[in-house]
Amino acid sequence: MKKLIFCPIIAFLLIGVADTLAIAPSPSPYVEMGLKSSQMFTWLDKFPAARVAQAGTEIDEKTAFNLVWKLPQVKRKAKEIEQLSRGTIKVGATVDSSPTPNEPYYTVQVFEKHPDENVTIYWFRVLSSSGAIEVLDLVQNQYISLDKWRSN
């Protein structure tokens, strides 16, 4: 008898919950599915979002350094500076910062080594998850892709 009474009640509740869930309409030709915002889930807004580490192969600091140091443009610039200075100025590089949850990049500085100071030539950032390299465009003060940098 209890099963006979609870089945319609459960079915009614399931239909009511299913009614609050909907497929979000999308104006694009691609289908985007999601939950329609509902008063049922407003309590979720109280919890802060957390970044979850992706499984995969992360590059290390040494790999990030080598990816930048082996760029043809960096090698060419180092050779040019050393030739023009007759060997008195060398070119070096260092990993300036490591990835964080908010900035998943290694930052690599390429610089001229003078006796009393180092002068920056380039700033690069290397994405820790893939090794993709970007260069700091000093005019616009933003990082750009290697392809865009090479075409300039």
Side-chain angles (χ1 to χ4, degrees), residues 5-136:
I5 294 172
F6 284 113
C7 286
I9 292 172
I10 290 174
F12 177 76
L13 290 173
L14 288 175
I15 291 171
V17 169
D19 187 42
T20 61
L21 302 177
I23 295 176
S26 176
S28 70
Y30 303 101
V31 177
E32 294 178 12
M33 295 176 62
L35 292 177
K36 186 191 243 184
S37 65
S38 171
Q39 288 81 16
M40 283 177 46
F41 301 109
T42 56
W43 58 273
L44 288 173
D45 293 336
K46 292 186 238 175
F47 298 103
R51 291 185 181 258
V52 178
Q54 294 179 346
T57 57
E58 297 265 329
I59 65 168
D60 61 359
E61 186 174 311
K62 184 177 179 180
T63 304
F65 176 87
N66 287 331
L67 286 171
V68 169
W69 190 247
K70 292 179 180 179
L71 286 171
Q73 293 83 355
V74 172
K75 287 181 173 183
R76 189 173 29 241
K77 183 59 98 175
K79 186 177 179 182
E80 177 186 338
I81 290 170
E82 289 178 24
Q83 284 178 344
L84 290 173
S85 70
R86 296 189 182 121
T88 60
I89 300 172
K90 301 287 185 193
V91 173
T94 186
V95 176
D96 189 63
S97 66
S98 296
T100 65
N102 293 328
E103 289 289 326
Y105 298 96
Y106 289 99
T107 305
V108 180
Q109 177 190 24
V110 178
F111 55 89
E112 296 176 1
K113 293 193 277 184
H114 293 268
D116 54 344
E117 66 178 336
N118 292 335
V119 179
T120 302
I121 303 170
Y122 302 121
W123 284 103
F124 294 93
R125 68 180 186 183
V126 182
L127 186 59
S128 62
S129 62
S130 67
I133 302 172
E134 295 179 333
V135 187
L136 181 61

